[in-house]
Amino acid sequence: MSTDPVADTPSPSPEGQQPQSNSRPERTAPQQRSPLLDKSSWATIVILPLVGALTLFAAQGAWGWISDKVSDPPELEVYSAGPDGCAPRYSESSLSELKTTTAEAAINGVPVTDAHFDPVEIPLTLQAKADEAIVVTGIKVRTLSDRKLPTRGVIVEPTGCGGGMTKREFDVKFGSVPVSVRPHVSRYKDGATRTSADFPFKISKSDPEQLSLYLFPGDRDVRFSVEVQWVSGGNLGSETLDNDGQGYRVMGPGGIPTFSMTELSR
């Protein structure tokens, strides 16, 4: 059997046709466009920082306005050492116990209205910290506790008091809500009266003011705080005195026995 030579001969390629190759042709990477030539890039570079700056400026301006509205007015310095030392003092100790600590009893006891219910005085000193004047508009007294009078202990009367000074005087009467604060009325033996000046009044750094609150607790044992209110430049302010959170305490005499300092020293 003969072999066909035509079958063994490869077929010629058509004229001009290149042989096919299994490798893929190389692709050229697309040329990247410069961001500087892109309008959208310019918008990002220029407009967005400008918008951010304007937003920050507006926010700072708004905060400045808010800060101006909520900032504290010029400060008012209010000082009080508590109820005046001329008031009788209550102690839970017995008479025999007090004879060994008479000075402490007179200083550290609870101030008490005397047998005639004369008030306990608490002086306040007000002074502006800055040169700008401050108008004091009022005082609020808040009751922190209200209890019955104690039934044991003693009351010690003071030995004497110092001289007075010109001051604004207010009567503070507990038992009402809110607590009553009114100008004090002085009554003289000849029948004349004098009513202390009321609010408002103006103070400054060089012109302080002395106030006295006359406390009338009645037949109760009361703890309280004092809030002084003022205004300056259209801004409101206040300062609260609360004896480091404990409140000031005052009480009526009740039926507790009273002794003088002389009797305690015997």
Side-chain angles (χ1 to χ4, degrees), residues 24-265:
R24 295 182 180 180
E26 294 182 358
R27 295 183 179 180
T28 303
Q31 184 176 3
Q32 294 184 355
R33 190 176 183 180
S34 173
L36 297 178
L37 300 178
D38 194 337
K39 294 182 178 180
S40 62
S41 298
W42 275 101
T44 303
I45 296 172
V46 177
I47 297 178
L48 289 183
L50 180 60
V51 172
L54 292 175
T55 302
L56 179 61
F57 178 78
Q60 289 176 340
W63 172 248
W65 181 86
I66 294 173
S67 176
D68 179 66
K69 295 301 179 184
V70 303
S71 61
D72 293 333
E75 292 186 16
L76 177 69
E77 186 174 11
V78 183
Y79 172 77
S80 177
D84 187 80
C86 290
R89 299 279 173 161
Y90 163 77
S91 175
E92 296 179 350
S93 303
S94 65
L95 178 61
S96 59
E97 292 172 335
L98 284 182
K99 286 187 175 182
T100 61
T101 58
T102 54
E104 293 181 8
I107 297 173
N108 300 325
V110 180
V112 182
T113 56
D114 64 17
H116 303 288
F117 285 91
D118 289 334
V120 172
E121 179 182 356
I122 178 170
L124 306 178
T125 302
L126 283 63
Q127 185 175 20
K129 291 185 177 181
D131 293 332
E132 186 176 353
I134 293 177
V135 177
V136 180
T137 57
I139 285 180
K140 283 188 176 181
V141 176
R142 291 184 171 88
T143 301
L144 305 179
S145 68
D146 186 340
R147 301 180 298 181
K148 293 181 179 180
L149 294 175
T151 56
R152 61 178 300 273
V154 297
I155 295 174
V156 181
E157 291 182 340
T159 56
C161 298
M165 62 175 291
T166 302
K167 54 195 173 185
R168 294 176 185 264
E169 303 165 307
F170 297 89
D171 291 342
V172 178
K173 295 184 178 181
F174 297 91
S176 62
V177 181
V179 177
S180 173
V181 180
R182 296 287 185 270
H184 177 71
V185 178
S186 299
R187 293 177 171 82
Y188 302 96
K189 294 181 179 180
D190 60 0
T193 61
R194 181 186 64 84
T195 302
S196 180
D198 199 356
F199 299 103
F201 56 87
K202 183 167 62 175
I203 64 172
S204 65
K205 188 175 182 179
S206 59
D207 186 20
E209 186 73 37
Q210 178 79 33
L211 305 183
S212 278
L213 305 182
Y214 296 132
L215 310 176
F216 293 87
D219 58 352
R220 306 292 294 178
D221 181 351
V222 178
R223 289 185 184 272
F224 66 95
S225 65
V226 178
E227 179 184 306
V228 181
Q229 302 172 326
W230 76 88
V231 62
S232 179
N235 295 316
L236 302 178
S238 65
E239 180 73 17
T240 298
L241 299 175
D242 59 3
N243 193 24
D244 295 329
Q246 301 179 23
Y248 299 103
R249 185 180 174 189
V250 63
M251 52 185 283
I256 299 175
T258 301
F259 300 91
S260 67
M261 290 291 294
T262 302
E263 291 177 283
L264 291 181
S265 61

